[in-house]
Amino acid sequence: MKTKQIFQYISYLQYPLMLIALFYAFRPYTYGLGLKPETSDLLFKDINNVLVFMGLGISFSTLQDTTKTQNKLSRKIWENPKKGKIAIIAISLMTLFIIVNGLIGYFSTTDSRLKELSSGIIILGIGMIGLLKSAIEMFENHRKDKNVAIEKEYQ
């Protein structure tokens, strides 16, 4: 078995991790969304768990093979130079926003619940960095204008 294939199989762990995040996202609805003082701690813990498991799920999704597209929509985006650049800029800005807000929250508060929530935000941002790297690789591998130039060069 090739190393690339092993990582491809490991990337499927993203699905159970995202399901766990989804579980924690819906869990607050079972106890009233923190409207009672005794459930507000649970709400913060559940939101933090959502962020942590989403960050881990996104990190595992970046282990997929970037030479293949997953669906028609992603192929349309990564083959088009303009749409690909817009997608990379959007992912970059979102990643920067998430990490900066996580760091600001972590270093500017003394409340342990908010500090823990900020850690979850930072983990999500780290996962987004991996997603950005994969997006750049997808863009490089699937660009129509680059592939046409390479084909002309070899003819």
Side-chain angles (χ1 to χ4, degrees):
M1 193 182 297
K2 294 181 183 177
T3 307
K4 224 177 195 184
Q5 200 173 26
I6 292 170
F7 281 108
Q8 179 71 27
Y9 289 131
I10 293 171
S11 76
Y12 289 118
L13 288 174
Q14 69 182 298
Y15 299 112
L17 290 169
M18 288 298 189
L19 284 174
I20 293 169
L22 194 61
F23 166 77
Y24 283 114
F26 284 109
R27 189 170 168 213
Y29 293 104
T30 62
Y31 54 78
L33 291 170
L35 299 175
K36 299 174 231 162
E38 61 270 8
T39 60
S40 66
D41 283 339
L42 283 174
L43 179 66
F44 276 96
K45 286 180 182 178
D46 285 342
I47 293 171
N48 185 51
N49 286 334
V50 169
L51 294 168
V52 168
F53 283 107
M54 279 181 60
L56 287 172
I58 291 170
S59 294
F60 275 95
S61 74
T62 62
L63 297 175
Q64 291 178 348
D65 187 7
T66 57
T67 60
K68 300 175 184 170
T69 55
Q70 302 300 320
N71 51 47
K72 289 181 183 179
L73 177 64
S74 64
R75 188 178 312 116
K76 284 182 181 180
I77 291 171
W78 299 125
E79 286 180 352
N80 185 320
K82 187 176 180 182
K83 289 178 185 176
K85 287 176 186 174
I86 290 170
I88 289 173
I89 290 169
I91 295 169
S92 299
L93 292 174
M94 195 168 29
T95 302
L96 181 66
F97 178 77
I98 290 170
I99 290 175
V100 166
N101 281 313
L103 290 172
I104 288 171
Y106 187 81
F107 289 114
S108 67
T109 187
T110 56
D111 184 3
S112 64
R113 295 184 312 177
L114 292 177
K115 209 174 235 339
E116 193 175 314
L117 196 62
S118 296
S119 297
I121 293 170
I122 292 168
I123 291 169
L124 177 63
I126 291 168
M128 294 291 293
I129 290 172
L131 180 71
L132 177 61
K133 180 203 161 281
S134 291
I136 292 169
E137 285 180 8
M138 291 279 282
F139 186 53
E140 289 174 354
N141 289 331
H142 296 283
R143 281 175 56 172
K144 285 255 182 171
D145 62 336
K146 185 178 178 184
N147 293 338
V148 169
I150 290 171
E151 286 174 11
K152 286 181 182 178
E153 185 177 307
Y154 286 107
Q155 289 179 355

